[in-house]
Amino acid sequence: MTTRILPAVGDLDAARSVTTLLSQLPDAEPATPVGDSTQLIDTLARLAGEALDELPEVVLVHERIGPVPALELIREVSLRFPSVGVVLITADASPNLFANAMDSGARGLVTLPLSYEELANRVQAAAQWSAGVRRHLTSGNDVFTGPGGTVVTVTGAKGGVGATVTAIQLALAAQASGNTVALVDMDLQTGDIASFLDVQFRRSLVDLALITDISPRVLSDAVFSHSTGLALLLAPGEGERGEEVSDRSARQIVSALRTRYEIVVIDCGCQMNGANAAAIEMADVALLVTTPDVVAVRGAKRIVRMWERLQIRKAEETVTLVNRFTRNTEIQPPLIQKITGTRVASAAVPANFKELQASIDSGRLHELDAKSTVKQALWGLAGELGIVKESATAKKSGSALIKRNSGAFKNDRGSIGRPRRRRDGSGRGPGDSEGTR
C-alpha cells in the first residue's frame, strides 16, 4: 500500500533533508513540503473537501513550524482531520515533550538529526493507524471527517456599537437557512448573549478551558441548546474567571466547535485578549462593527492596526459593518473603508433602535419582528458573508429576508433599510438618531 506523506517544514535545509529521506522509503509518496501552519491547514482542508481518500495518511510537523506552534498545530490537525496520523520532528527527546506531543494527538515522534530507520518506523506506524481509522470511518460511524465549519468572529470598534446584536442575528440567519450553528460568547468579562436570549445556564467557556481533549460528549455538556436551535457556549457569569481561558484553550475550543457545527459565530466584544485574538486569527470571516462617528471609526482603525502589528489579521482580510447608518451623517461607508483599509460590507444597518428595544428589554431578541429593517439588514449581511444556504431559504420562515437582501443592494452601499423620505423632503425618519446597542 502506498503511503502518502505531507511534510510541514519551515526551514529549507530541514525540508531538503526530510524530502531526501522520505524518497528512500519503500511505497512512500512524499508531497512537496508546506512552509507554514496556515498552508498545511489550507492544503488538508482542500483535500478533505474533495474526498476523505484524498487526505495523506501521514503528516510530518517540524518543531520550528510557524506561526502556530508545533504542538498546537498538531492538536488542530488531529481535531479537524482525525484520520491523518501526525508525527512530530524535534531535537528534544525528553519524556515531557513526548507526553505533551501525545496529548496533542501526535502518533509518534522522530528526533533530530533524522535517521532512516527511525523515520521509517514512525511513518509506517502512523500510516497503519491511519488506515485502521479510515476503515472504521467508512463502516458507517458518524464521525466528522470534513475540513470543518465556517468560523465568523464579530468584534466591536468600541463598547456599545452593536456587536452582540449583530452576532446573534447572524447566527439566527444561518440557522434559519438550515445550517447547524454554534453561537459563542467570547466577551469573557462582560458577555451579554445570555441576557439577550433570556438564558440561565451554569456551564460556560471556562468549563472547557482546562480540558486537554474535548470530546463530543464533553462539548455537548458545556453547550446550551436554545429553543431557536442555536447551540450556545456562554461567557462565565463571574467575569474574573475569563482569565482562565488562554489563547491555547481558545484554539482548542474553536477547533472542536468547527468539527461539530457548520457555522460558528463568535462574539469577541471590544476588548482584546489572548483568547479572542486566537479566535480572530483562526476565523474564516472577521467582522468589525462600527458606527459612523469619529470616536467609533478611530476605534476601528486602532483595532485594525493592532491586529496587523500582532500579526493576527491583515486589514484587507477584515470586513467592516456600519451600524446605525443614516443618509445625512458626515461619515459615510466609503470614508470608513479608506480610513480603516478594510472592506466595508454592502449591507449597512439603519439607525432604528426603537425596533429593538422591546425585544432587548424582554431578553427575546430572537423574536424580533421579521419586518424590522434592522433584522432585514443583518440577515442580508449573513447572505453577503456566505453563511446561509440559499437553496434552503425559501423553505424557512422569514428566510426570504436573506434572499432578498443578500444581493439586491450589492452595488448600493448602505441602502438596506434606509429610512424613507417624508413628503416634506427632509429625509429624516423617526429613528435617525438611534441604533442598535
Side-chain angles (χ1 to χ4, degrees), residues 292-327:
D293 59 83
V294 172
V295 176
V297 174
R298 283 179 177 173
K301 181 180 179 179
R302 184 167 57 246
I303 285 179
V304 170
R305 298 296 176 264
M306 179 173 62
W307 288 354
E308 289 187 325
R309 290 194 303 272
L310 298 177
Q311 298 184 349
I312 296 172
R313 201 168 198 89
K314 297 179 180 178
E316 56 269 25
E317 296 174 349
T318 303
V319 180
T320 298
L321 172 68
V322 181
N323 188 21
R324 301 179 194 158
F325 176 82
T326 59
R327 297 173 61 180

Side-chain angles (χ1 to χ4, degrees), residues 223-254:
V223 166
F224 177 83
S225 297
H226 195 258
S227 59
T228 58
L230 294 178
L232 305 180
L233 187 54
L234 304 171
E238 303 82 14
E240 66 274 13
R241 296 200 63 195
E243 297 180 357
E244 299 177 31
V245 184
S246 65
D247 55 342
R248 180 175 180 178
S249 300
R251 290 183 185 279
Q252 184 180 357
I253 291 168
V254 173

Side-chain angles (χ1 to χ4, degrees), residues 27-68:
D27 299 324
E29 185 180 306
T32 303
V34 296
D36 57 51
S37 58
T38 301
Q39 190 177 356
L40 173 62
I41 294 298
D42 289 346
T43 300
L44 292 175
R46 175 177 54 80
L47 294 173
E50 297 173 3
L52 172 63
D53 292 338
E54 295 298 322
L55 284 169
E57 283 76 22
V58 180
V59 167
L60 300 177
V61 176
H62 193 274
E63 63 179 353
R64 291 197 298 272
I65 196 70
V68 176

Side-chain angles (χ1 to χ4, degrees), residues 255-320:
S255 295
L257 286 167
R258 78 192 312 167
T259 64
R260 308 300 300 179
Y261 300 94
E262 294 172 282
I263 304 293
V264 180
V265 180
I266 305 175
D267 179 7
C268 293
C270 62
Q271 296 182 356
M272 295 304 302
N273 53 53
N276 54 30
I280 293 167
E281 183 181 0
M282 296 175 67
D284 300 286
V285 179
L287 186 69
L288 179 61
V289 182
T290 186
T291 49
D293 59 83
V294 172
V295 176
V297 174
R298 283 179 177 173
K301 181 180 179 179
R302 184 167 57 246
I303 285 179
V304 170
R305 298 296 176 264
M306 179 173 62
W307 288 354
E308 289 187 325
R309 290 194 303 272
L310 298 177
Q311 298 184 349
I312 296 172
R313 201 168 198 89
K314 297 179 180 178
E316 56 269 25
E317 296 174 349
T318 303
V319 180
T320 298

Side-chain angles (χ1 to χ4, degrees), residues 2 22 35 61 64 98 101 162 231 264 267 332 336 346 379 416 432:
T2 301
L22 291 177
V61 176
R64 291 197 298 272
F98 182 83
V264 180
D267 179 7
Q332 294 290 313
I336 295 175
S346 298
W379 284 42
I416 294 180
D432 278 2

